[in-house]
Each structure stands twice: as structure tokens, then as C-alpha cells.
Amino acid sequence: TDYIFRRYEHTALLATYITFKRRAVIRELGKVFGLPKTEIDKLSSGYFDPKSLDEMEKLVFRYSSLIAGFPNYLSVHSGGIAILQEPIHQYAGTFLPPK
């Protein structure tokens, strides 16, 4: 990677979007709504009686269906490097992480 960045003037690492999966959304929303860990574990496992859910737990499921599939965070692709003829910002949006 170091060689490629030294050899070619216009290079950039490619990013990947890590999206929310069903269980991750339920865990994050459970924390936001202040549910105890035991309830969050119960909801994310999927083994519960839907009739026994209280209002907060129902809200977690209502919002989780809306958020599932949204981007959670960016990551650097393990093998993605763009080598271009012109500066990268002429081709795509750029983001310079703090590291």
C-alpha cells in the first residue's frame, strides 16, 4: 500500500458502509430508550411472546424496522485502492478520517 501511494499521485483508499442489521438496531435502540441489558438481550434474541411486550419494547421494534439497513459507520475496504488520473474529489465525495 505504501508503494502504491508513493508511486501514483492520485490514490485513495476505498470505504465500505457497514449497515445496521436487525439485532444491532434492536440493541442500539434498546440503549437509547434506556432498557435494561436483560430486556435488550431478550428482544435481540427473538425468543419472546409478542403479547408480553410493554410500550417501550414495542417502540424499539417499530423504529428498528425503519432503521434496519441504514449505514451504521464507515470502514476502510481491505483491498480497495483507487488510482486515478486526476484528484479524487473530481470523481467522488471524500472523507478524511482522523487517523
Side-chain angles (χ1 to χ4, degrees):
T1 305
D2 185 50
Y3 168 76
I4 292 172
F5 276 86
R6 282 186 282 116
R7 171 73 169 84
Y8 300 101
E9 183 178 359
H10 304 293
T11 58
L13 294 173
L14 299 180
T16 60
Y17 285 100
I18 308 302
T19 58
F20 278 112
K21 304 295 187 265
R22 184 190 68 83
R23 289 181 64 189
V25 172
I26 291 171
R27 288 199 167 279
E28 292 299 320
L29 287 176
K31 293 175 195 174
V32 168
F33 285 112
L35 297 178
K37 184 178 180 337
T38 56
E39 288 183 37
I40 293 172
D41 291 342
K42 175 186 77 169
L43 294 176
S44 66
S45 72
Y47 299 111
F48 57 88
D49 181 19
K51 296 175 186 170
S52 68
L53 298 178
D54 64 13
E55 283 304 309
M56 283 298 205
E57 293 169 336
K58 288 178 184 177
L59 280 176
V60 167
F61 277 105
R62 183 179 307 149
Y63 290 122
S64 68
S65 65
L66 299 173
I67 296 173
F70 273 46
N72 184 4
Y73 62 91
L74 286 175
S75 177
V76 176
H77 190 282
S78 62
I81 298 176
I83 302 172
L84 306 160
Q85 294 177 357
E86 298 177 31
I88 183 73
H89 66 270
Q90 293 186 6
Y91 296 94
T94 58
F95 174 70
L96 185 60
K99 292 184 180 179

